[in-house]
Amino acid sequence: MSRAVDLVQSVVDMVGGRAEAEVTSDVGTTSLTRFANSYIHQNVTEEVVSVTLRVARDARVASATSTVTTPDALQAFVDTTLDIAAQQPVDIDWPGVGEPVDQLEVDNWDQSTADATPAQRAEVVKAFVDAGKGLSGAGFCQTDARFLAFGNTAGRYAHGRFTTALLDGIHQTAASAGGAHAAGSALGSIDAPAVGTGAADRARGSVDTFDAKPGDYEVLLSPECVATIAIFLDAYGFSAKVAEEGMSFVQLGEQQFDPTVEIWDDATDPRSLYVGFDAEGTPKPKLDLVRRGVTTNVLHTRRTAAKAGVSSTGHAAPGAEAFGPFGTNMFVGGGSSSLEELVGDVDRGIYVSTFNYCRILDPKTLVVTGLTRNGTFMIENGRITDPISNLRFTQSFIDALGEGNVRGVGSDGRFADSEFGPTFVHAPSMRLGSWRFTGGTDG
Amino acid sequence: MVRGDGFNRLPMVRMTNVGLLPGEGSLDDIIADTEDGVYMATNRSWSIDDRRLNFQFGCEIAWDVKNGKLGRLLKNPTYTGITPQFWGTLDRLAGESEWVHWGTPNCGKGQPGQVAHTGHSASPGRFSNVRVGVRG
C-alpha cells in the first residue's frame, strides 16, 4: 500500500500551489492463465504501476497518466500536464477538487488470492477442463491484487486494496459450444468444477440445434443476461450525465419497472469487489437506484453533481471523464425461486445462457440489439428441451423489466459477466413474460 | 497481419486495411437511379454474431428515396441481414471522388483486452432487398 500512497503524495507535492490537482495511483499485479484446446498456452503476470493526474489551472483542465515513476520522470510528467492545462479553454463546469471527507471501511482483500501462483491457477483450469471429458475447453483464470491511492491539493486522501479472481470458459464439441463463468474477491471461492460442468452441459446439450422462428417469446435469462441489462441501465440511464443531456429513460419517483425489480450500487456490501472510493476520492455508500420498481436516484460525479446542485454519489470512474458516472458495484435484487422452479413455470419459452455483442439502437427507450450465444434452449411444459440456433433480439431493456413482465426472479444471484466486464454486476436469473427476437441464422 | 498494442501484449490478427475498391459515378447518381429505397448515413451502432453472419446496424439519420429523389427524414434507422447474402446484393458503388478511407479507433479484442486502430475504405453503395426498420 505504501508505494501507491507515496506516489500520490509525491505528485501532489510536485504540483504544489501551481494548480488544483487530483492524483490516483494503481499499484499491484494482474495474472492470467489462459487455455485453449484444453491446454494452458499462456501464463502471464503484469506488474501494474500507474499514476493519473488531473490538474486545473484557473479552470483550465488537463489529465494524463504515466507508468514511469522515477522522480525525474514524475516531475516531467507533472510539469507537462500543467503546461497542457494552460493551453486548454476554460472548463465552465469544472467543479473543483473535493474537500477532505471520512472514508468508508472497505477491504475486499484475500491474501491467498494475492499470493496465488501459476500452479494454483492451473489447478482451477484443470478442474474446469476435467469437468468436460471429451470436450475442448478454452478460457482463462485471472487473479488481481491491487493497491489504489488517491490524494488532492485540498487535502482529501483515500486508499484501499482489492483482490479479484475470475474463471471464464467454454467447452466445445465439433458442432457446439457452452460457456460459464464465476468471479469473486477470492480464488478459493471459485467453484471450478461447477463452472466447467455448466459449460460442458450447455455444449453437449447444444449439438443438434434447430432454427426457432423469430418472434415474441417468454424467456428465462441467466444472470449473465440480467447483468447485461443492468449494465446498460447503469451506463445509459442511471448516469446523471446521460440524464442531464436528455438521453436517459430515468423519471425519478416514477414506477418505471415491475415492483419486483430492485437495483442498487453498494461498494460496502461484503460481496462487492474493488475499493470504497471513486476516481475523485468520494466515498461510495449504498445508493438505491430502483426500489420496488420505482426509479429513485441517478449516479453522480462531482461534475454532474455540481450542475445538478447535489452531492456526488461517488461514481467517477477512472479515466472516464467523458463517459460520465458509472456504477461498478451494481446489484440486482434476487428472488426466492430456484432455477428449476423458474423453468418449471414456463409453458413455452426460451432459456438464454449469454447475450453477445449488444448495442443500443435508441438510447431514450434503451432499445438494444444483440444475440444469444453459447447455449440457447427451448423450454416446453416446464422442461428445457431442444437446443436452438442463436437468435438476434431487438428489445427495450426498460420494457423487459416493465410492470407485469417480470414473472420470476431467481435465488441464484452472483457476479455475472456483462458486456462491460465480469465484475461490475451481481445478478440473478429472471423469467420475463415477453422478449422480442427479430432474427436468426437466416436473417 | 498481426500486431499488439504494447510491448507486453501478444500480437493478434488484425484486418487493418481491408476495403472496397471504388466503383463508378456518385452518390447523387445512385439516388437518381433508385426508384424505391432508403438512404442511410453515419453508422452509430453495430452488432454482429460470433460467426460474423447475422448483423444489425443503426444509423444517425436516413431518408426515403422515391423515384430518384430524397424524401422524408427517418428516425433511428436500422438495417439487418446475413453477411454473404447482403454483400451479394451490392449492385452500385460510387466512384473515387467519394471514396474515403474510414478509420475505426477502438477495435477491441483479446484477453487481456487490446485496442487497435483499423481502417476500411469505401464509397457509398446500394444493396437490394435489405431488411430495415427493425423495432423493439
Side-chain angles (χ1 to χ4, degrees):
Chain A
M1 184 68 75
S2 63
R3 188 176 182 199
V5 172
D6 291 347
L7 281 172
V8 164
Q9 190 62 61
S10 295
V11 174
V12 169
D13 291 344
M14 287 176 181
V15 175
R18 293 185 285 173
E20 293 180 280
E22 292 173 327
V23 186
T24 302
S25 69
D26 180 356
V27 176
T29 57
T30 180
S31 303
L32 184 79
T33 298
R34 190 153 68 167
F35 59 104
N37 301 319
S38 298
Y39 288 91
I40 292 171
H41 64 94
Q42 187 183 28
N43 220 331
V44 290
T45 290
E46 179 179 354
E47 292 188 4
V48 177
V49 182
S50 72
V51 180
T52 298
L53 170 64
R54 181 165 67 165
V55 296
R57 301 177 78 168
D58 301 323
R60 299 175 191 274
V61 181
S63 299
T65 297
S66 176
T67 56
V68 185
T69 57
T70 61
D72 288 348
L74 283 179
Q75 187 65 61
F77 167 64
V78 169
D79 294 344
T80 302
T81 308
L82 287 166
D83 288 345
I84 293 169
Q87 309 302 317
Q88 301 303 307
V90 171
D91 180 350
I92 58 173
D93 293 324
W94 169 245
V97 299
E99 296 296 315
V101 62
D102 290 339
Q103 295 293 337
L104 300 167
E105 293 288 331
V106 173
D107 188 28
N108 296 311
W109 182 266
D110 177 70
Q111 190 60 46
S112 62
T113 301
D115 296 336
T117 63
Q120 288 171 305
R121 285 189 297 277
E123 284 298 320
V124 172
V125 169
K126 182 176 187 301
F128 179 94
V129 170
D130 286 350
K133 294 288 185 194
L135 304 177
S136 178
F140 69 94
C141 175
Q142 181 174 333
T143 53
D144 279 60
R146 307 284 270 273
F147 300 92
L148 297 185
F150 173 89
N152 69 22
T153 48
R156 173 183 286 190
Y157 289 94
H159 62 263
R161 62 181 185 171
F162 67 88
T163 52
T164 56
L166 311 173
L167 174 61
D168 197 330
I170 60 171
H171 275 299
Q172 293 173 285
T173 70
S176 64
H181 164 89
S185 60
L187 185 60
S189 71
I190 304 295
D191 189 346
V195 177
T197 299
D201 287 349
R202 287 169 175 172
R204 290 193 179 102
S206 300
V207 172
D208 294 314
T209 61
F210 77 95
D211 296 340
K213 187 179 177 184
D216 292 349
Y217 286 84
E218 182 167 352
V219 290
L220 179 54
L221 302 181
S222 73
E224 269 69 28
C225 300
V226 176
T228 300
I229 293 173
I231 210 79
F232 275 71
L233 296 175
D234 177 359
Y236 303 111
F238 296 133
S239 161
K241 179 174 185 287
V242 175
E244 192 264 335
E245 291 169 345
M247 299 283 278
S248 168
F249 68 86
V250 163
Q251 300 288 329
L252 292 178
E254 297 292 321
Q255 183 87 40
Q256 295 192 282
F257 300 97
D258 189 86
T260 57
V261 175
E262 304 268 349
I263 303 174
W264 67 93
D265 188 272
D266 187 6
T268 68
D269 189 294
R271 297 168 293 182
S272 280
L273 306 173
Y274 305 123
V275 296
F277 57 91
D278 73 355
E280 297 171 329
T282 305
K284 303 175 70 173
K286 182 180 180 183
L287 181 73
D288 285 322
L289 297 164
V290 178
R291 287 281 291 157
R292 299 185 190 87
V294 176
T295 308
T296 54
N297 283 296
V298 291
L299 306 163
H300 279 289
T301 63
R302 287 183 53 75
R303 177 179 293 271
T304 63
K307 290 187 80 170
V310 299
S311 298
S312 171
T313 57
H315 292 95
E321 174 84 2
F323 195 74
F326 182 61
T328 57
N329 304 99
M330 300 282 289
F331 288 82
V332 179
S336 57
S337 302
S338 67
L339 185 61
E340 291 72 23
E341 289 169 333
L342 290 171
V343 171
D345 288 338
V346 178
D347 287 334
R348 186 169 188 276
I350 292 176
Y351 176 77
V352 185
S353 301
T354 312
F355 288 154
N356 182 47
Y357 217 141
C358 296
R359 293 293 182 272
I360 286 183
L361 295 173
D362 183 6
K364 188 79 175 178
T365 55
L366 215 55
V367 172
V368 175
T369 188
L371 299 121
T372 67
R373 189 179 186 183
N374 291 339
T376 310
F377 302 90
M378 286 302 301
I379 305 173
E380 293 166 297
N381 301 317
R383 289 178 50 248
I384 288 181
T385 54
D386 297 320
I388 58 179
S389 305
N390 288 328
L391 290 165
R392 173 172 293 286
F393 65 83
T394 306
Q395 171 68 47
S396 163
F397 282 0
I398 311 302
D399 292 347
L401 302 186
E403 198 161 7
N405 203 45
V406 181
R407 295 183 177 174
V409 182
S411 57
D412 53 351
R414 58 178 169 79
F415 281 103
D417 201 353
S418 68
E419 285 277 330
F420 286 47
T423 56
F424 297 136
V425 185
H426 192 281
S429 298
M430 272 193 178
R431 176 188 164 212
L432 305 180
S434 180
W435 187 270
R436 179 155 295 178
F437 292 104
T438 53
T441 52
D442 293 332
Chain B
M1 174 179 285
V2 296
R3 59 178 59 179
D5 74 355
F7 75 93
N8 56 353
R9 293 287 183 268
L10 287 174
M12 292 188 294
V13 174
R14 294 281 186 181
M15 296 177 69
T16 47
N17 287 296
V18 175
L20 298 171
L21 291 171
E24 294 178 348
S26 66
L27 173 61
D28 286 346
D29 293 338
I30 297 174
I31 291 171
D33 184 41
T34 302
E35 188 175 330
D36 184 10
V38 177
Y39 170 53
M40 297 204 184
T42 314
N43 193 294
R44 72 172 183 188
S45 174
W46 44 93
S47 172
I48 193 164
D49 71 18
D50 53 339
R51 295 189 298 158
R52 299 301 188 255
L53 280 176
N54 181 316
F55 67 86
Q56 183 162 314
F57 297 145
C59 292
E60 293 279 359
I61 197 165
W63 292 265
D64 270 336
V65 179
K66 298 290 184 191
N67 301 316
K69 290 190 169 65
L70 292 182
R72 63 185 176 137
L73 199 64
L74 301 174
K75 191 176 176 183
N76 287 328
T78 57
Y79 61 105
T80 187
I82 301 297
T83 301
Q85 296 168 13
F86 173 78
W87 284 102
T89 69
L90 174 66
D91 66 355
R92 291 285 306 259
L93 194 63
E96 199 159 359
S97 65
E98 293 175 77
W99 188 81
V100 175
H101 191 69
W102 300 99
T104 303
N106 57 349
C107 180
K109 66 191 298 187
Q111 290 170 336
Q114 298 188 41
V115 176
H117 291 213
T118 61
H120 304 293
S121 313
S123 50
R126 186 176 71 180
F127 301 80
S128 58
N129 296 315
V130 178
R131 184 180 174 199
V132 301
V134 182
R135 299 180 70 87

